[in-house]
Amino acid sequence: MYEIYVTDREGLEHQVRINEGEKLMDVIRDAGLPVDATCGGEGTCATCHVYVEPVWYGKLPEIDDKELEFIEAAMSYDPGSSRLSWQLLFN
């Protein structure tokens, strides 16, 4: 088990436990933090949008066309840090 830091919409930092292979969306939601994830990780709504710190963003797998299409439609899209948390597996 590992620990990651998640900053919520109010700017408060939370230490959250995560295991290898878990989706970031599930971990954030299960910790009671505000991530809508309306579609439950089916990739149809972009309500699990998160910002990833630049130091970590470059270490993530490439964003695929489906994720990019949804995330670009988000009003708060930032090409250097926006990702959909259901796409991010911790390993």
Side-chain angles (χ1 to χ4, degrees):
M1 181 162 290
Y2 300 90
E3 293 181 348
I4 60 171
Y5 295 91
V6 177
T7 304
D8 66 21
R9 294 178 184 138
E10 305 299 320
L12 298 174
E13 190 173 88
H14 304 269
Q15 194 170 356
V16 179
R17 292 184 179 189
I18 189 168
N19 292 305
E20 287 188 34
E22 286 188 292
K23 289 183 182 179
L24 184 59
M25 179 193 75
D26 296 331
V27 171
I28 293 171
R29 185 187 54 217
D30 293 349
L33 297 172
V35 63
D36 290 333
T38 304
C39 73
E42 295 298 318
T44 61
C45 70
T47 61
C48 67
H49 175 244
V50 295
Y51 297 108
V52 178
E53 290 289 329
V55 67
W56 294 104
Y57 189 85
K59 297 176 182 183
L60 298 175
E62 292 278 329
I63 193 167
D64 66 28
D65 291 339
K66 181 179 179 182
E67 179 182 2
L68 186 59
E69 179 183 332
F70 278 103
I71 208 160
E72 283 180 331
M75 293 182 64
S76 53
Y77 172 63
D78 178 354
S81 68
S82 288
R83 291 299 299 261
L84 298 181
S85 60
W86 76 273
Q87 287 281 77
L88 304 177
L89 289 176
F90 185 81
N91 12 334

Coordinates of all heavy atoms in Angstrom, one line a residue:
M1 N 0.8 -1.2 0.0 CA 0.0 0.0 0.0 C 0.9 1.2 0.0 O 1.9 1.3 0.6 CB -0.9 0.0 1.2 CG -1.8 1.2 1.2 SD -3.3 1.1 2.3 CE -4.2 -0.1 1.4
Y2 N 0.4 2.3 -0.7 CA 1.2 3.5 -0.9 C 0.3 4.7 -0.4 O -0.9 4.5 -0.2 CB 1.6 3.7 -2.3 CG 2.5 2.6 -2.8 CD1 1.9 1.5 -3.4 CD2 3.9 2.7 -2.7 CE1 2.7 0.5 -3.9 CE2 4.7 1.7 -3.2 CZ 4.1 0.6 -3.8 OH 4.9 -0.4 -4.3
E3 N 0.9 5.8 -0.3 CA 0.1 7.0 0.0 C 0.4 8.1 -1.0 O 1.5 8.2 -1.5 CB 0.5 7.5 1.4 CG 0.1 6.6 2.5 CD 0.4 7.0 3.9 OE1 1.2 8.0 4.0 OE2 -0.1 6.4 4.8
I4 N -0.7 8.7 -1.5 CA -0.6 9.8 -2.4 C -1.2 11.0 -1.8 O -2.0 10.9 -0.8 CB -1.3 9.5 -3.8 CG1 -2.7 9.2 -3.6 CG2 -0.5 8.4 -4.5 CD1 -3.5 9.1 -4.9
Y5 N -1.0 12.2 -2.3 CA -1.6 13.4 -1.9 C -2.6 14.0 -2.9 O -2.2 14.0 -4.1 CB -0.5 14.4 -1.6 CG 0.4 14.0 -0.4 CD1 1.5 13.3 -0.7 CD2 0.0 14.3 0.9 CE1 2.3 12.8 0.4 CE2 0.8 13.8 1.9 CZ 2.0 13.1 1.7 OH 2.8 12.7 2.7
V6 N -3.8 14.3 -2.4 CA -4.8 14.8 -3.3 C -5.2 16.2 -2.7 O -5.5 16.3 -1.6 CB -6.0 13.9 -3.3 CG1 -7.1 14.4 -4.2 CG2 -5.6 12.5 -3.8
T7 N -5.2 17.2 -3.6 CA -5.7 18.5 -3.2 C -7.1 18.7 -3.7 O -7.4 18.5 -4.9 CB -4.8 19.6 -3.8 OG1 -3.4 19.3 -3.4 CG2 -5.2 21.0 -3.3
D8 N -8.0 19.0 -2.8 CA -9.4 19.1 -3.1 C -9.7 20.5 -3.7 O -8.8 21.3 -3.8 CB -10.3 18.8 -1.9 CG -10.2 19.8 -0.8 OD1 -9.8 21.0 -1.0 OD2 -10.6 19.4 0.3
R9 N -10.9 20.8 -4.1 CA -11.3 22.0 -4.7 C -11.2 23.2 -3.8 O -11.1 24.4 -4.3 CB -12.8 21.9 -5.2 CG -13.0 20.9 -6.2 CD -14.4 20.8 -6.7 NE -14.6 19.7 -7.6 CZ -15.6 18.9 -7.6 NH1 -16.5 18.9 -6.7 NH2 -15.6 17.9 -8.6
E10 N -11.1 23.0 -2.5 CA -10.9 24.1 -1.5 C -9.4 24.4 -1.3 O -9.1 25.3 -0.5 CB -11.6 23.8 -0.2 CG -13.1 23.4 -0.3 CD -13.9 24.6 -0.9 OE1 -13.6 25.7 -0.5 OE2 -14.8 24.3 -1.7
G11 N -8.5 23.6 -1.9 CA -7.1 23.7 -1.7 C -6.5 23.0 -0.5 O -5.3 23.1 -0.2
L12 N -7.3 22.1 0.1 CA -6.9 21.3 1.2 C -6.2 20.1 0.7 O -6.8 19.4 -0.2 CB -8.0 21.0 2.2 CG -8.7 22.2 2.8 CD1 -9.9 21.7 3.6 CD2 -7.8 22.9 3.7
E13 N -5.1 19.7 1.3 CA -4.4 18.5 0.9 C -4.8 17.3 1.7 O -4.9 17.4 3.0 CB -2.9 18.7 1.0 CG -2.1 17.7 0.3 CD -0.6 18.0 0.3 OE1 0.1 17.7 1.3 OE2 -0.1 18.6 -0.7
H14 N -5.0 16.2 1.1 CA -5.4 15.0 1.8 C -4.4 13.9 1.5 O -4.1 13.7 0.3 CB -6.8 14.5 1.4 CG -7.8 15.6 1.6 ND1 -8.6 15.7 2.7 CD2 -8.2 16.6 0.7 CE1 -9.4 16.7 2.6 NE2 -9.2 17.3 1.4
Q15 N -4.0 13.1 2.5 CA -3.2 11.9 2.2 C -4.1 10.7 2.1 O -5.0 10.5 2.9 CB -2.3 11.7 3.4 CG -1.1 10.8 3.2 CD -0.1 10.9 4.3 OE1 -0.2 11.6 5.2 NE2 0.8 10.0 4.3
V16 N -4.0 10.0 1.0 CA -4.9 8.9 0.6 C -4.1 7.7 0.3 O -3.1 7.7 -0.3 CB -5.8 9.3 -0.6 CG1 -6.7 8.2 -1.0 CG2 -6.5 10.6 -0.4
R17 N -4.6 6.5 0.8 CA -3.9 5.3 0.6 C -4.4 4.7 -0.7 O -5.6 4.8 -1.1 CB -4.2 4.3 1.7 CG -3.5 4.8 3.0 CD -3.7 3.8 4.1 NE -3.0 4.3 5.3 CZ -2.8 3.7 6.3 NH1 -3.3 2.4 6.4 NH2 -2.1 4.2 7.3
I18 N -3.4 4.1 -1.4 CA -3.7 3.5 -2.7 C -2.9 2.2 -2.9 O -1.7 2.2 -2.5 CB -3.5 4.5 -3.9 CG1 -4.0 4.0 -5.2 CG2 -2.0 4.9 -3.9 CD1 -4.1 5.1 -6.3
N19 N -3.4 1.2 -3.6 CA -2.7 0.0 -3.9 C -2.4 0.0 -5.4 O -3.1 0.6 -6.2 CB -3.6 -1.2 -3.6 CG -3.8 -1.4 -2.1 OD1 -2.8 -1.4 -1.4 ND2 -5.0 -1.4 -1.7
E20 N -1.4 -0.8 -5.8 CA -1.1 -0.9 -7.2 C -2.3 -1.5 -7.9 O -3.0 -2.4 -7.4 CB 0.1 -1.9 -7.4 CG 1.4 -1.2 -7.0 CD 2.6 -2.0 -7.3 OE1 2.6 -2.7 -8.4 OE2 3.6 -2.0 -6.6
G21 N -2.5 -1.0 -9.1 CA -3.6 -1.5 -9.9 C -5.0 -0.8 -9.7 O -5.9 -1.0 -10.4
E22 N -5.1 0.1 -8.6 CA -6.3 0.8 -8.3 C -6.4 2.0 -9.2 O -5.4 2.7 -9.5 CB -6.4 1.2 -6.9 CG -6.6 0.1 -5.9 CD -6.9 0.6 -4.5 OE1 -5.9 1.1 -3.9 OE2 -8.0 0.5 -4.0
K23 N -7.7 2.3 -9.6 CA -7.9 3.5 -10.4 C -8.0 4.7 -9.4 O -8.6 4.6 -8.4 CB -9.3 3.4 -11.1 CG -9.2 2.5 -12.3 CD -10.6 2.5 -13.0 CE -10.6 1.5 -14.1 NZ -11.9 1.4 -14.8
L24 N -7.4 5.8 -9.9 CA -7.3 7.0 -9.0 C -8.8 7.5 -8.7 O -9.1 7.9 -7.6 CB -6.6 8.1 -9.8 CG -6.4 9.4 -9.0 CD1 -5.7 9.2 -7.7 CD2 -5.6 10.4 -9.8
M25 N -9.7 7.4 -9.7 CA -11.1 7.8 -9.5 C -11.7 7.1 -8.3 O -12.3 7.7 -7.4 CB -11.9 7.5 -10.7 CG -13.4 7.9 -10.6 SD -14.4 7.2 -11.9 CE -14.5 5.5 -11.5
D26 N -11.5 5.8 -8.2 CA -12.1 5.0 -7.1 C -11.5 5.3 -5.8 O -12.2 5.5 -4.8 CB -11.9 3.5 -7.4 CG -12.6 3.0 -8.6 OD1 -13.7 3.6 -9.0 OD2 -12.1 2.0 -9.2
V27 N -10.2 5.6 -5.7 CA -9.5 5.9 -4.5 C -10.0 7.3 -4.0 O -10.3 7.4 -2.8 CB -8.0 5.8 -4.7 CG1 -7.3 6.4 -3.5 CG2 -7.6 4.4 -5.0
I28 N -10.1 8.2 -4.9 CA -10.6 9.6 -4.5 C -12.0 9.5 -4.0 O -12.3 10.0 -2.9 CB -10.4 10.6 -5.6 CG1 -9.0 10.8 -6.0 CG2 -11.1 11.9 -5.3 CD1 -8.7 11.6 -7.3
R29 N -12.8 8.8 -4.7 CA -14.3 8.7 -4.3 C -14.4 8.0 -3.0 O -15.2 8.4 -2.1 CB -15.0 8.0 -5.4 CG -16.6 8.0 -5.2 CD -17.3 7.2 -6.2 NE -16.7 5.8 -6.2 CZ -16.5 5.1 -7.4 NH1 -16.9 5.6 -8.5 NH2 -16.0 3.9 -7.3
D30 N -13.7 6.9 -2.9 CA -13.8 6.1 -1.6 C -13.3 6.8 -0.4 O -13.7 6.5 0.7 CB -13.1 4.7 -1.8 CG -13.8 3.8 -2.8 OD1 -14.9 4.1 -3.3 OD2 -13.2 2.8 -3.2
A31 N -12.4 7.8 -0.6 CA -11.9 8.6 0.5 C -12.9 9.7 0.9 O -12.6 10.4 1.8 CB -10.5 9.1 0.1
G32 N -14.0 9.8 0.1 CA -15.0 10.8 0.5 C -14.7 12.1 -0.1 O -15.3 13.1 0.3
L33 N -13.7 12.2 -1.0 CA -13.4 13.5 -1.7 C -14.3 13.7 -2.8 O -14.8 12.8 -3.5 CB -11.9 13.5 -2.1 CG -10.9 13.3 -0.9 CD1 -9.5 13.1 -1.4 CD2 -11.0 14.5 0.0
P34 N -14.5 15.0 -3.2 CA -15.5 15.4 -4.2 C -15.0 15.1 -5.6 O -14.4 15.9 -6.3 CB -15.7 16.9 -4.0 CG -14.4 17.3 -3.4 CD -13.9 16.2 -2.6
V35 N -15.3 13.9 -6.1 CA -15.2 13.6 -7.5 C -16.5 13.0 -7.9 O -17.0 12.0 -7.3 CB -14.0 12.6 -7.8 CG1 -14.1 11.3 -7.1 CG2 -13.7 12.5 -9.3
D36 N -17.2 13.6 -8.9 CA -18.5 13.1 -9.3 C -18.5 11.7 -9.9 O -19.2 10.8 -9.4 CB -19.2 14.1 -10.3 CG -19.5 15.4 -9.6 OD1 -19.8 15.4 -8.4 OD2 -19.6 16.4 -10.3
A37 N -17.7 11.5 -10.9 CA -17.6 10.2 -11.6 C -19.0 9.7 -11.9 O -19.4 8.5 -11.6 CB -16.8 9.2 -10.7
T38 N -19.8 10.5 -12.5 CA -21.2 10.2 -12.8 C -21.4 8.9 -13.5 O -22.3 8.1 -13.2 CB -21.9 11.4 -13.5 OG1 -21.7 12.6 -12.8 CG2 -23.3 11.1 -13.8
C39 N -20.6 8.7 -14.5 CA -20.7 7.5 -15.3 C -20.1 6.2 -14.7 O -20.1 5.1 -15.3 CB -20.2 7.7 -16.8 SG -18.4 7.8 -16.9
G40 N -19.4 6.4 -13.6 CA -18.8 5.2 -12.9 C -17.6 4.7 -13.6 O -17.2 3.5 -13.4
G41 N -16.9 5.5 -14.4 CA -15.7 5.1 -15.1 C -15.9 4.4 -16.5 O -15.1 3.7 -17.0
E42 N -17.1 4.7 -17.0 CA -17.4 4.2 -18.4 C -16.8 5.1 -19.5 O -16.9 4.8 -20.6 CB -18.9 4.0 -18.5 CG -19.5 3.0 -17.6 CD -19.0 1.6 -17.9 OE1 -18.8 1.2 -19.0 OE2 -18.7 0.9 -16.9
G43 N -16.3 6.3 -19.1 CA -15.7 7.2 -20.1 C -16.7 7.9 -20.9 O -16.5 8.1 -22.1
T44 N -17.8 8.3 -20.3 CA -18.9 9.0 -21.1 C -19.2 10.4 -20.6 O -20.1 11.0 -21.1 CB -20.1 8.2 -21.1 OG1 -20.6 8.0 -19.8 CG2 -19.9 6.8 -21.8
C45 N -18.5 10.9 -19.5 CA -19.0 12.2 -18.9 C -17.9 13.2 -18.6 O -18.2 14.3 -18.5 CB -19.9 11.9 -17.7 SG -19.0 11.3 -16.3
A46 N -16.7 12.8 -18.3 CA -15.6 13.6 -17.8 C -15.8 14.3 -16.5 O -15.1 15.2 -16.1 CB -15.3 14.7 -18.9
T47 N -16.7 13.8 -15.7 CA -16.9 14.4 -14.3 C -15.9 13.9 -13.3 O -15.9 14.3 -12.2 CB -18.3 14.1 -13.8 OG1 -18.6 12.7 -13.7 CG2 -19.4 14.7 -14.7
C48 N -15.0 13.0 -13.7 CA -13.9 12.6 -12.9 C -12.6 13.4 -13.2 O -11.5 12.9 -12.9 CB -13.7 11.1 -13.0 SG -13.1 10.5 -14.6
H49 N -12.7 14.5 -13.9 CA -11.6 15.3 -14.3 C -10.8 15.7 -13.1 O -11.3 16.1 -12.1 CB -12.2 16.5 -15.0 CG -11.1 17.5 -15.4 ND1 -11.1 18.8 -14.9 CD2 -10.1 17.4 -16.2 CE1 -10.1 19.5 -15.4 NE2 -9.4 18.7 -16.2
V50 N -9.5 15.6 -13.2 CA -8.5 16.0 -12.2 C -7.3 16.7 -12.9 O -7.1 16.6 -14.1 CB -8.0 14.8 -11.4 CG1 -9.1 14.1 -10.6 CG2 -7.2 13.8 -12.2
Y51 N -6.6 17.5 -12.0 CA -5.4 18.1 -12.5 C -4.2 17.3 -11.8 O -4.3 17.0 -10.7 CB -5.3 19.6 -12.1 CG -6.4 20.4 -12.7 CD1 -7.4 20.9 -11.9 CD2 -6.3 20.8 -14.0 CE1 -8.4 21.7 -12.4 CE2 -7.3 21.6 -14.6 CZ -8.3 22.0 -13.8 OH -9.3 22.8 -14.3
V52 N -3.2 17.0 -12.7 CA -2.1 16.3 -12.2 C -0.9 17.2 -12.2 O -0.7 18.0 -13.2 CB -1.8 15.1 -13.1 CG1 -0.5 14.3 -12.7 CG2 -3.0 14.1 -13.2
E53 N -0.1 17.2 -11.1 CA 1.0 18.1 -11.0 C 2.0 17.8 -12.2 O 2.2 16.7 -12.6 CB 1.8 17.9 -9.7 CG 1.0 18.3 -8.5 CD 1.0 19.8 -8.4 OE1 1.9 20.5 -8.8 OE2 0.0 20.3 -7.8
P54 N 2.6 18.9 -12.8 CA 3.4 18.7 -14.0 C 4.5 17.7 -13.8 O 4.9 16.9 -14.7 CB 4.0 20.1 -14.2 CG 2.9 21.0 -13.6 CD 2.4 20.3 -12.5
V55 N 5.1 17.6 -12.6 CA 6.2 16.6 -12.3 C 5.7 15.2 -12.5 O 6.5 14.3 -12.9 CB 6.8 16.9 -10.9 CG1 5.8 16.5 -9.8 CG2 8.1 16.1 -10.8
W56 N 4.4 14.9 -12.3 CA 3.9 13.6 -12.4 C 3.2 13.4 -13.8 O 3.1 12.3 -14.3 CB 2.8 13.3 -11.3 CG 3.5 13.2 -10.0 CD1 3.5 14.2 -9.0 CD2 4.3 12.2 -9.5 NE1 4.2 13.8 -7.9 CE2 4.7 12.5 -8.2 CE3 4.7 11.0 -10.0 CZ2 5.5 11.7 -7.4 CZ3 5.5 10.1 -9.2 CH2 5.9 10.5 -8.0
Y57 N 2.7 14.5 -14.4 CA 1.9 14.4 -15.6 C 2.8 13.7 -16.7 O 2.2 12.8 -17.4 CB 1.5 15.8 -16.1 CG 0.5 15.7 -17.2 CD1 -0.8 15.6 -17.0 CD2 1.0 15.8 -18.6 CE1 -1.7 15.6 -18.1 CE2 0.1 15.8 -19.6 CZ -1.3 15.7 -19.4 OH -2.1 15.7 -20.4
G58 N 4.0 14.0 -16.8 CA 4.9 13.4 -17.9 C 5.2 12.0 -17.6 O 5.7 11.3 -18.5
K59 N 4.9 11.5 -16.4 CA 5.2 10.1 -16.1 C 3.9 9.2 -16.4 O 4.0 8.0 -16.3 CB 5.6 9.9 -14.7 CG 6.9 10.6 -14.4 CD 7.2 10.6 -12.9 CE 8.5 11.4 -12.7 NZ 8.9 11.3 -11.3
L60 N 2.8 9.8 -16.8 CA 1.6 9.0 -17.0 C 1.6 8.5 -18.4 O 2.3 9.0 -19.3 CB 0.4 9.9 -16.8 CG 0.2 10.5 -15.4 CD1 -1.0 11.5 -15.5 CD2 -0.1 9.4 -14.4
P61 N 0.8 7.4 -18.6 CA 0.7 6.9 -20.0 C 0.1 8.0 -20.9 O -0.6 8.9 -20.4 CB -0.3 5.7 -19.8 CG -0.3 5.4 -18.4 CD 0.1 6.6 -17.7
E62 N 0.3 7.9 -22.2 CA -0.2 8.9 -23.1 C -1.7 8.9 -23.0 O -2.4 7.9 -22.8 CB 0.2 8.5 -24.6 CG 1.7 8.6 -24.9 CD 2.0 10.0 -25.2 OE1 1.2 10.7 -25.8 OE2 3.2 10.4 -24.9
I63 N -2.3 10.1 -23.2 CA -3.7 10.2 -23.2 C -4.2 9.7 -24.6 O -3.7 10.0 -25.6 CB -4.1 11.7 -23.0 CG1 -5.5 11.9 -22.7 CG2 -3.6 12.6 -24.2 CD1 -5.9 13.3 -22.2
D64 N -5.3 8.9 -24.5 CA -5.8 8.3 -25.8 C -6.9 9.3 -26.4 O -7.3 10.2 -25.7 CB -6.3 6.9 -25.6 CG -7.6 6.8 -24.7 OD1 -8.3 7.7 -24.6 OD2 -7.7 5.7 -24.1
D65 N -7.3 9.0 -27.6 CA -8.2 9.9 -28.3 C -9.5 10.0 -27.6 O -10.1 11.1 -27.6 CB -8.4 9.4 -29.8 CG -7.1 9.5 -30.6 OD1 -6.3 10.3 -30.3 OD2 -7.0 8.8 -31.6
K66 N -10.0 8.9 -27.1 CA -11.3 9.0 -26.4 C -11.3 9.9 -25.2 O -12.1 10.8 -25.0 CB -11.8 7.6 -26.0 CG -13.1 7.5 -25.3 CD -13.5 6.1 -25.0 CE -14.9 6.1 -24.3 NZ -15.3 4.8 -23.9
E67 N -10.2 9.7 -24.3 CA -10.1 10.6 -23.2 C -9.9 12.0 -23.6 O -10.5 12.9 -23.0 CB -8.9 10.1 -22.3 CG -8.7 10.9 -21.1 CD -7.5 10.5 -20.2 OE1 -6.8 9.6 -20.6 OE2 -7.3 11.2 -19.2
L68 N -9.1 12.2 -24.6 CA -8.8 13.6 -25.0 C -10.1 14.3 -25.5 O -10.3 15.5 -25.2 CB -7.7 13.6 -26.1 CG -7.2 14.9 -26.6 CD1 -6.6 15.7 -25.4 CD2 -6.2 14.8 -27.7
E69 N -10.9 13.6 -26.2 CA -12.1 14.1 -26.7 C -13.0 14.6 -25.6 O -13.5 15.7 -25.6 CB -12.9 13.1 -27.5 CG -14.2 13.6 -28.1 CD -15.0 12.5 -28.8 OE1 -14.3 11.6 -29.4 OE2 -16.2 12.5 -28.9
F70 N -13.2 13.8 -24.5 CA -14.0 14.2 -23.4 C -13.4 15.3 -22.6 O -14.0 16.3 -22.2 CB -14.3 13.0 -22.5 CG -15.4 12.2 -23.0 CD1 -15.2 11.0 -23.6 CD2 -16.7 12.6 -22.9 CE1 -16.2 10.2 -24.1 CE2 -17.8 11.8 -23.3 CZ -17.5 10.6 -24.0
I71 N -12.1 15.2 -22.4 CA -11.4 16.2 -21.5 C -11.3 17.5 -22.1 O -11.3 18.6 -21.5 CB -10.1 15.6 -21.0 CG1 -9.8 16.2 -19.6 CG2 -9.0 15.8 -21.9 CD1 -8.8 15.4 -18.9
E72 N -11.1 17.6 -23.5 CA -11.1 18.9 -24.1 C -12.4 19.6 -24.1 O -12.4 20.8 -24.1 CB -10.7 18.7 -25.6 CG -9.2 18.4 -25.8 CD -8.9 18.2 -27.3 OE1 -9.7 17.8 -28.1 OE2 -7.7 18.5 -27.6
A73 N -13.5 18.9 -23.9 CA -14.8 19.5 -23.8 C -15.1 20.1 -22.4 O -16.0 20.9 -22.2 CB -15.9 18.5 -24.1
A74 N -14.2 19.7 -21.4 CA -14.4 20.2 -20.1 C -14.0 21.7 -20.1 O -13.0 22.1 -20.6 CB -13.5 19.5 -19.1
M75 N -14.8 22.5 -19.4 CA -14.6 23.9 -19.4 C -13.3 24.3 -18.7 O -12.8 25.4 -18.9 CB -15.8 24.7 -18.7 CG -17.1 24.6 -19.5 SD -18.4 25.4 -18.8 CE -17.8 27.1 -18.8
S76 N -12.8 23.4 -17.9 CA -11.6 23.7 -17.1 C -10.4 22.9 -17.6 O -9.4 22.7 -16.9 CB -11.8 23.4 -15.6 OG -12.3 22.1 -15.5
Y77 N -10.4 22.6 -18.9 CA -9.3 21.8 -19.5 C -8.0 22.5 -19.5 O -7.9 23.7 -19.8 CB -9.7 21.5 -20.9 CG -8.6 20.8 -21.8 CD1 -8.1 19.6 -21.4 CD2 -8.1 21.5 -22.9 CE1 -7.1 19.0 -22.1 CE2 -7.1 20.9 -23.6 CZ -6.6 19.6 -23.3 OH -5.6 19.0 -24.0
D78 N -7.0 21.9 -19.0 CA -5.6 22.4 -19.0 C -4.7 21.3 -19.7 O -4.5 20.3 -19.1 CB -5.1 22.7 -17.6 CG -3.7 23.2 -17.6 OD1 -3.0 23.2 -18.6 OD2 -3.2 23.5 -16.5
P79 N -4.2 21.6 -20.9 CA -3.5 20.6 -21.7 C -2.2 20.0 -20.9 O -1.8 18.9 -21.2 CB -3.1 21.3 -22.9 CG -3.7 22.6 -22.9 CD -4.3 22.9 -21.6
G80 N -1.7 20.8 -20.0 CA -0.5 20.3 -19.3 C -0.8 19.6 -18.0 O 0.2 19.1 -17.4
S81 N -2.1 19.4 -17.6 CA -2.3 18.8 -16.3 C -3.7 18.0 -16.3 O -3.9 17.2 -15.4 CB -2.2 19.7 -15.2 OG -3.3 20.7 -15.2
S82 N -4.6 18.2 -17.2 CA -5.9 17.6 -17.1 C -5.8 16.2 -17.5 O -5.2 15.8 -18.6 CB -6.8 18.3 -18.1 OG -7.2 19.6 -17.6
R83 N -6.5 15.3 -16.7 CA -6.7 13.9 -17.0 C -8.0 13.5 -16.4 O -8.6 14.1 -15.6 CB -5.6 13.0 -16.4 CG -4.2 13.2 -17.1 CD -4.2 12.9 -18.6 NE -4.5 11.5 -18.9 CZ -3.6 10.5 -19.1 NH1 -2.3 10.8 -19.0 NH2 -4.0 9.3 -19.4
L84 N -8.5 12.4 -16.9 CA -9.7 11.8 -16.3 C -9.2 10.7 -15.4 O -8.5 9.8 -15.7 CB -10.6 11.1 -17.4 CG -11.2 12.1 -18.4 CD1 -12.0 11.4 -19.4 CD2 -11.9 13.3 -17.8
S85 N -9.6 10.8 -14.1 CA -9.1 9.9 -13.1 C -9.4 8.5 -13.3 O -8.7 7.6 -12.7 CB -9.5 10.4 -11.7 OG -10.9 10.4 -11.5
W86 N -10.5 8.1 -14.0 CA -10.8 6.7 -14.2 C -9.8 6.1 -15.1 O -9.6 4.9 -15.2 CB -12.2 6.5 -14.8 CG -12.4 6.9 -16.2 CD1 -12.6 8.1 -16.8 CD2 -12.3 6.0 -17.4 NE1 -12.7 8.1 -18.1 CE2 -12.5 6.8 -18.5 CE3 -12.0 4.6 -17.5 CZ2 -12.5 6.2 -19.8 CZ3 -12.0 4.1 -18.8 CH2 -12.2 4.9 -19.9
Q87 N -9.0 6.9 -15.9 CA -8.0 6.4 -16.8 C -6.7 6.1 -16.1 O -5.8 5.5 -16.7 CB -7.7 7.4 -17.9 CG -8.8 7.5 -18.9 CD -8.8 6.4 -19.9 OE1 -9.2 5.2 -19.6 NE2 -8.3 6.6 -21.1
L88 N -6.5 6.5 -14.9 CA -5.2 6.5 -14.2 C -5.1 5.4 -13.2 O -5.7 5.4 -12.1 CB -4.9 7.8 -13.5 CG -5.0 9.1 -14.5 CD1 -4.8 10.3 -13.7 CD2 -4.0 8.9 -15.6
L89 N -4.4 4.3 -13.6 CA -4.1 3.2 -12.7 C -2.8 3.4 -12.0 O -1.8 3.9 -12.6 CB -4.0 1.9 -13.5 CG -5.2 1.3 -14.1 CD1 -4.9 0.1 -14.9 CD2 -6.2 1.0 -13.0
F90 N -2.8 3.2 -10.7 CA -1.6 3.4 -9.9 C -0.7 2.1 -10.1 O -1.1 1.0 -9.8 CB -1.9 3.6 -8.5 CG -0.7 3.9 -7.6 CD1 -0.2 5.2 -7.6 CD2 -0.2 3.0 -6.8 CE1 0.9 5.5 -6.8 CE2 0.9 3.2 -6.0 CZ 1.5 4.5 -6.0
N91 N 0.5 2.3 -10.5 CA 1.5 1.2 -10.5 C 2.9 1.7 -10.3 O 3.2 2.8 -10.3 CB 1.5 0.4 -11.8 CG 0.8 0.9 -13.0 OD1 -0.1 1.6 -12.8 ND2 1.2 0.5 -14.1

